[in-house]
């Protein structure tokens, strides 16, 4: 993973990021982690995809994660992912990122889709892995299983290696939000027709946090070109379970994009 970490201040809390620029006049891949992720947990995948696709790379930790500051809003409203999309755009603007291609995993994918819908002139393309656009029984079941693991296994200790004393807060924010009665109505399908940029939608066929209905609705309702890749025998984290395959799928998609 890229080792140089920088910070900017957003919403009165710092955001940690790493920015690797190697290719002049080429897009920048912007990586958005999942609900328990951070820069370090991407490991070397961002750099590898940057090399495969000849793109620059930006990776960052959302508020409350990794090397960033504390959660700004520990109690999340149903539109919290829209807030995250706004922070993403602020980061892109602050760093003068041209032609950003968003690579979002899980709720990072949801943030990427929202950003492409709400800020269409800012985003060149989107790649998602296991993105959510509505809440499913499978999603809540997977989260409840993670809650059980947090209490009965070494999951908490593993997460503390990356998130330190922020671990309980971020875990509770994720689990309490997604399992609450109020959040069961969360749905961002209304944003999909506003997405005109090319989209690559990747999902493991055995994803424990969502069904293929997520993929099909994204592909069927965005306005621009959409490509879906369903991966047999793969669960919720394709870039870790089948890295070579994801590198090829993503780089082929990036190379197919029209010149800016």
């Amino acid at each position: 993973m890229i080792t140089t970490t920088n910070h900017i201040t957003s919403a009165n809390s710092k955001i940690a990021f790493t920015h690797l620029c190697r290719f002049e006049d080429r897009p920048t891949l912007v990586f958005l982690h999942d609900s328990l992720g951070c820069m370090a947990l991407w490991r070397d995948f961002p750099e590898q995809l940057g090399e495969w696709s000849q793109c620059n790379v930006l990776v960052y930790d959302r508020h409350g994660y990794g090397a960033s500051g504390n959660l700004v809003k520990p109690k999340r409203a149903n539109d919290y992912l829209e807030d995250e999309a706004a922070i993403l755009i602020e980061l892109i603007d602050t760093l003068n990122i041209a032609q950003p291609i968003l690579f979002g995993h899980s709720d990072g994918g949801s943030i990427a889709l929202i950003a492409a819908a709400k800020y269409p002139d800012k985003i060149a393309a989107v790649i998602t892995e296991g993105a959510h656009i509505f809440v499913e029984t499978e999603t809540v079941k997977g989260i409840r299983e993670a809650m059980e693991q947090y209490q009965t296994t070494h999951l908490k200790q593993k997460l503390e290696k990356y998130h330190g004393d922020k671990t309980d807060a971020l875990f509770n924010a994720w689990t309490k939000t997604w399992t609450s009665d109020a959040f069961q109505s969360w749905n961002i399908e209304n944003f999909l027709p506003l997405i005109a940029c090319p989209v690559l939608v990747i999902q493991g066929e055995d994803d424990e946090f969502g069904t293929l209905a997520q993929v099909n609705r994204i592909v069927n309702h965005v306005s621009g070109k959409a490509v879906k890749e369903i991966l047999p025998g793969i669960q919720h984290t394709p870039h870790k379970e089948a890295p070579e395959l994801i590198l090829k799928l993503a780089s082929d998609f990036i190379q197919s994009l029209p010149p800016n």
Side-chain angles (χ1 to χ4, degrees):
M1 181 59 207
I2 309 162
T3 56
T4 302
T5 301
N6 300 291
H7 297 88
I8 66 168
T9 299
S10 172
N12 297 317
S13 185
K14 69 178 182 179
I15 291 181
F17 69 91
T18 59
H19 190 195
L20 183 62
C21 297
R22 290 180 177 170
F23 304 103
E24 189 174 355
D25 298 324
R26 287 291 294 160
T28 296
L29 303 175
V30 182
F31 289 83
L32 295 93
H33 62 74
D34 64 305
S35 293
L36 300 178
C38 63
M39 289 189 289
L41 283 168
W42 285 107
R43 298 186 172 86
D44 63 351
F45 181 81
E47 286 182 285
Q48 288 191 45
L49 185 54
E51 290 294 334
W52 276 58
S53 60
Q54 300 290 282
C55 288
N56 303 304
V57 172
L58 173 65
V59 192
Y60 74 102
D61 289 336
R62 303 206 303 270
H63 287 136
Y65 295 79
S68 286
N70 292 331
L71 285 171
V72 175
K73 297 178 180 178
K75 184 174 176 57
R76 290 171 168 169
N78 279 21
D79 63 352
Y80 83 96
L81 293 175
E82 294 178 53
D83 293 339
E84 294 290 355
I87 293 169
L88 164 65
I89 297 302
E90 179 185 351
L91 180 61
I92 287 172
D93 286 346
T94 299
L95 299 179
N96 295 312
I97 301 296
Q99 305 178 67
I101 298 172
L102 308 182
F103 189 111
H105 174 225
S106 193
D107 64 350
S110 306
I111 295 166
L113 293 170
I114 294 169
K118 295 187 71 172
Y119 311 94
D121 59 326
K122 302 281 189 180
I123 307 301
V126 170
I127 301 170
T128 67
E129 288 185 317
H132 307 285
I133 57 171
F134 58 94
V135 182
E136 293 184 284
T137 301
E138 289 80 2
T139 314
V140 176
K141 180 175 181 289
I143 293 171
R144 291 196 182 282
E145 289 175 355
M147 294 167 70
E148 177 68 19
Q149 293 168 10
Y150 197 73
Q151 297 296 328
T152 61
T153 72
H154 294 296
L155 176 59
K156 177 179 178 178
Q157 288 75 21
K158 289 179 180 178
L159 292 172
E160 285 176 335
K161 294 178 183 178
Y162 301 98
H163 306 296
D165 60 7
K166 299 186 294 292
T167 303
D168 279 341
L170 72 87
F171 190 85
N172 288 332
W174 173 51
T175 56
K176 290 183 178 180
T177 299
W178 280 78
T179 60
S180 69
D181 291 340
F183 202 73
Q184 302 316 295
S185 62
W186 175 82
N187 188 306
I188 59 169
E189 289 180 86
N190 60 302
F191 286 117
L192 298 179
L194 303 176
I195 300 174
C197 69
V199 178
L200 171 60
V201 185
I202 301 170
Q203 184 152 323
E205 197 169 49
D206 299 332
D207 192 324
E208 64 272 36
F209 288 98
T211 73
L212 299 184
Q214 305 275 353
V215 175
N216 293 328
R217 292 196 195 178
I218 296 170
V219 170
N220 291 337
H221 291 97
V222 297
S223 296
K225 172 188 174 183
V227 178
K228 70 176 177 180
E229 295 287 351
I230 308 302
L231 311 180
I234 300 298
Q235 296 185 299
H236 191 58
T237 316
H239 68 274
K240 289 184 179 178
E241 298 171 61
E244 292 287 326
L245 175 58
I246 303 307
L247 288 169
K248 184 177 189 314
L249 292 174
S251 60
D252 286 351
F253 171 76
I254 292 164
Q255 296 302 339
S256 75
L257 297 174
N260 188 37

